[in-house]
Amino acid sequence: MDSSDTRPNIIEMVGITKAFPGVVANDHVDLTVRENEVLALLGENGAGKSTLMSILFGSYDADSGIIKIRGKEVKIKDPNAATALGIGMVHQHFKLVHNYTVVENIVLGMESTNRFGMLDLKTAEKKVAELSKTFGLNVNLNDKIEDITVGMQQRVEILKVLYRDADIIIFDEPTAVLTPQEIDDLMQTIRLLKERGKTIIIITHKLKEIKAVAERCTVLRRGKVIGTVNVADVTEEQLAEMMVGRVVKFEIEKNPPKIGKTVLKLDNISVKNSRNQLAVRNLSLEIHAGEIVGIAGVDGNGQSELLYGITGLEPLVSGSITLNDVDISNYTIRQRIEAGLGHIPEDRHKYGLVKEFTVAENVALKSYYKSPYTKNGCVLVMDEMKKKATDLIGAFDIRAGQGADTTAGSMSGGNQQKVIIAREVDMAGDVIVIAQPTRGLDVGAIEYIRKRILQERDNGRAILLISFELDEIMNLCDRIATISQGAIVGIHNAGEVTEREIGIMMAGSKDKAEGESK
């Protein structure tokens, strides 16, 4: 450690312990954060990072341990108490009201009123505009949340914290839902926050981002502190090994594909978005057995609508979809599942899980009405659901404190994602449509999931992969289709196109050669 750093500790957490049914999330954790530093809190999903910060922010009570802020022992019973101490938290899943405007969300709970007791948004707008300018968080204050991008929504969350005069800002997995450009913007925002005197804690598992902005990194594994290191003194590989307890391979070894017949065929399909605008335009693509076809593109270029059209969440405006030579264009969602279409959705909470259900119930979510989960057509057989869930928990290394009876909503985001992946891999037929499979996962889980996807490809399945992680597309895919404004602008075999060339096509060029000539 750097003994020459004389900055005082602004946060001291000593002996923090927190247990939930079946699992000790924090086991006598000690953590110190210096004033005006950027500290990364690194760990696998379920390591206890978010729990520890939720205790600091007052969302949970610790079972034991003490917290000192600026050298004084404090009791943080709720988020209001944390706010009063100058602590703010930008949550992974934003706490925004979608039909409210930006400024209404920022002032919610701290509304200013005039002398007549009426809401005074003008004064609030002035303060927010000043904060926005100071920290480079430009966003239209009168836009509704539902009409702005995810990156802009995160800016609103940061402005909410700054509006409440926070000196200590906790970011919980801040880049999990951002595009590469938005991630770059956020890293710049964090640097600016530090320059303006703020203390930053980043809960993350993304090693590149730790190297980009953090000064120190505290590593948690299974609820315990493994160590704290100066980021400049360690490599990404060393951080990964501290996190998971073994050497992690960043490059994936894969066998040459054994291409089979066409399994999924999209023929000139068009799909509208929620605003009734055409988001996918006359898109054609074929996916063969034994290959992974990746969709590369900037968020908002029709990827979601393409996914919805294939899986039946949105109707086609035109065109057709065939699965194993059968036209499924007008099939219901259940009919598509029974035809052999697997789906790992981009939003695990909206389309993948019922958070109030157990792991067993979520595993059977798409097949509960069939044997062996249903008896006599009307009685659920919970023992069979639990048996299957227990098998998948072991096979996919799902951290579930109460096993098959664990409520999905009580697990970390990464473990929720593993439940979905386990279910879809287990029950899908010849094709799996996968969106953002490693979003929110740590490096160990990412390594495992990517290997599993390759295994399914080697088993002869056809896989369509939609991911904003360009390295994931480059590493996993046999062919890469680049999408821009709802249309495919280039399809290339892996190894025949560079990240730079894909980037040019993502910007709208029809082909890499055309982009290079400009």
Side-chain angles (χ1 to χ4, degrees):
M1 303 309 299
D2 186 1
S3 59
S4 65
D5 195 320
T6 59
R7 287 174 294 180
N9 291 331
I10 194 170
I11 299 168
E12 295 174 72
M13 303 181 79
V14 182
I16 301 295
T17 297
K18 178 67 177 178
F20 297 100
V23 62
V24 179
N26 295 144
D27 188 356
H28 296 90
V29 171
D30 294 340
L31 179 74
T32 60
V33 185
R34 297 166 180 160
E35 189 171 3
N36 190 219
E37 85 164 326
V38 180
L39 177 86
L41 197 57
L42 176 65
E44 293 181 273
N45 294 111
K49 310 181 300 294
S50 294
T51 299
L52 185 66
M53 289 299 99
S54 293
I55 290 168
L56 179 62
F57 189 59
S59 298
Y60 292 149
D61 283 330
D63 299 333
S64 61
I66 63 171
I67 300 173
K68 293 182 180 180
I69 303 295
R70 301 177 185 88
K72 181 180 178 181
E73 187 173 339
V74 296
K75 299 293 183 183
I76 306 177
K77 291 297 183 182
D78 55 45
N80 288 332
T83 299
L85 290 166
I87 303 170
M89 188 165 183
V90 178
H91 297 271
Q92 178 180 358
H93 302 291
F94 304 146
K95 311 291 185 182
L96 299 172
V97 182
H98 278 220
N99 59 345
Y100 279 18
T101 65
V102 167
V103 70
E104 287 169 345
N105 270 277
I106 289 170
V107 305
L108 191 61
M110 289 192 65
E111 297 87 346
S112 299
T113 56
N114 59 25
R115 59 194 179 94
F116 302 108
M118 303 292 288
L119 184 63
D120 181 13
L121 276 182
K122 286 188 176 180
T123 300
E125 285 176 0
K126 184 178 180 181
K127 180 178 178 179
V128 174
E130 290 173 355
L131 289 169
S132 180
K133 183 178 180 181
T134 300
F135 293 97
L137 297 165
N138 298 317
V139 60
N140 191 329
L141 300 184
N142 296 314
D143 282 348
K144 287 189 175 181
I145 296 299
E146 62 191 2
D147 294 329
I148 62 178
T149 65
V150 172
M152 286 294 180
Q153 290 178 30
Q154 186 178 72
R155 291 185 181 191
V156 176
E157 287 282 15
I158 297 170
L159 284 167
K160 276 174 58 179
V161 168
L162 294 171
Y163 185 81
R164 287 154 178 76
D165 300 321
D167 294 318
I168 300 164
I169 304 176
I170 305 162
F171 287 90
D172 186 3
E173 301 286 2
T175 64
V177 294
L178 301 185
T179 65
Q181 180 56 49
E182 288 170 337
I183 291 172
D184 291 341
D185 291 343
L186 176 64
M187 295 298 103
Q188 184 57 37
T189 297
I190 289 172
R191 294 184 191 102
L192 195 53
L193 288 166
K194 175 179 164 53
E195 286 177 16
R196 298 289 191 271
K198 305 298 184 183
T199 300
I200 310 294
I201 304 173
I202 308 174
I203 304 171
T204 187
H205 56 258
K206 294 192 174 182
L207 305 176
K208 288 181 181 177
E209 290 152 24
I210 292 174
K211 295 292 286 184
V213 294
E215 298 168 70
R216 293 190 303 146
C217 178
T218 295
V219 182
L220 291 178
R221 192 193 309 153
R222 305 218 173 187
K224 294 184 177 182
V225 173
I226 299 302
T228 299
V229 295
N230 292 320
V231 172
D233 298 337
V234 293
T235 64
E236 290 183 26
E237 289 77 10
Q238 288 170 322
L239 286 171
E241 188 170 350
M242 286 181 70
M243 177 167 58
V244 302
R246 60 178 174 81
V247 175
V248 177
K249 292 183 179 180
F250 288 92
E251 295 295 326
I252 300 174
E253 297 177 3
K254 62 179 182 181
N255 301 317
K258 296 179 181 178
I259 306 298
K261 67 173 185 176
T262 298
V263 177
L264 183 68
K265 183 179 181 181
L266 314 178
D267 188 9
N268 284 311
I269 67 168
S270 295
V271 187
K272 288 185 177 180
N273 61 21
S274 59
R275 299 181 188 178
N276 206 34
Q277 300 167 331
L278 211 57
V280 177
R281 306 167 187 271
N282 299 316
L283 187 148
S284 295
L285 190 65
E286 293 186 7
I287 300 96
H288 302 88
E291 75 166 342
I292 301 173
V293 176
I295 302 290
V298 177
D299 188 15
N301 276 270
Q303 296 96 320
S304 295
E305 290 78 12
L306 174 61
L307 188 71
Y308 300 160
I310 295 170
T311 57
L313 290 166
E314 288 288 346
L316 299 183
V317 174
S318 60
S320 65
I321 302 171
T322 56
L323 176 58
N324 284 325
D325 299 323
V326 176
D327 190 333
I328 65 167
S329 306
N330 296 314
Y331 276 24
T332 65
I333 294 174
R334 178 177 285 185
Q335 286 172 331
R336 294 180 198 218
I337 293 168
E338 292 185 338
L341 182 66
H343 175 208
I344 296 170
E346 59 183 347
D347 187 331
R348 57 178 169 261
H349 292 153
K350 192 172 184 179
Y351 297 117
L353 293 169
V354 179
K355 292 194 291 182
E356 294 78 15
F357 282 10
T358 65
V359 173
E361 290 165 335
N362 274 289
V363 162
L365 203 56
K366 291 186 172 182
S367 50
Y368 66 91
Y369 58 92
K370 298 190 295 187
S371 177
Y373 303 141
T374 298
K375 186 177 181 180
N376 300 326
C378 60
V379 180
L380 292 177
V381 184
M382 293 305 300
D383 285 346
E384 289 294 337
M385 293 184 189
K386 290 180 182 180
K387 181 180 177 183
K388 170 60 73 174
T390 300
D391 290 343
L392 294 180
I393 285 169
F396 285 80
D397 189 29
I398 299 168
R399 309 284 170 82
Q402 294 180 290
D405 292 321
T406 305
T407 303
S410 70
M411 300 191 301
S412 69
N415 283 301
Q416 292 174 10
Q417 183 78 336
K418 285 184 181 181
V419 171
I420 298 168
I421 292 170
R423 178 186 67 214
E424 298 303 314
V425 166
D426 181 67
M427 70 173 292
D430 292 333
V431 60
I432 309 178
V433 180
I434 303 175
Q436 318 302 342
T438 59
R439 175 183 283 174
L441 299 186
D442 56 70
V443 290
I446 288 171
E447 179 191 39
Y448 176 82
I449 294 302
R450 289 177 177 176
K451 284 182 178 178
R452 192 66 194 234
I453 291 171
L454 282 172
Q455 182 180 327
E456 296 310 309
R457 169 260 225 178
D458 290 344
N459 289 341
R461 279 175 162 161
I463 295 174
L464 178 64
L465 174 65
I466 298 172
S467 177
F468 300 140
E469 301 283 350
L470 199 48
D471 72 312
E472 186 160 78
I473 293 287
M474 301 295 286
N475 269 315
L476 287 181
C477 297
D478 302 301
R479 288 190 295 139
I480 300 169
T482 307
I483 192 170
S484 179
Q485 297 182 11
I488 298 297
V489 294
I491 302 177
H492 299 88
N493 293 325
E496 295 178 359
V497 64
T498 66
E499 287 193 21
R500 181 173 181 274
E501 290 166 341
I502 290 178
I504 290 169
M505 288 184 284
M506 286 165 64
S509 175
K510 287 293 182 185
D511 194 272
K512 60 176 182 174
E514 177 185 334
E516 290 289 358
S517 66
K518 290 183 178 179

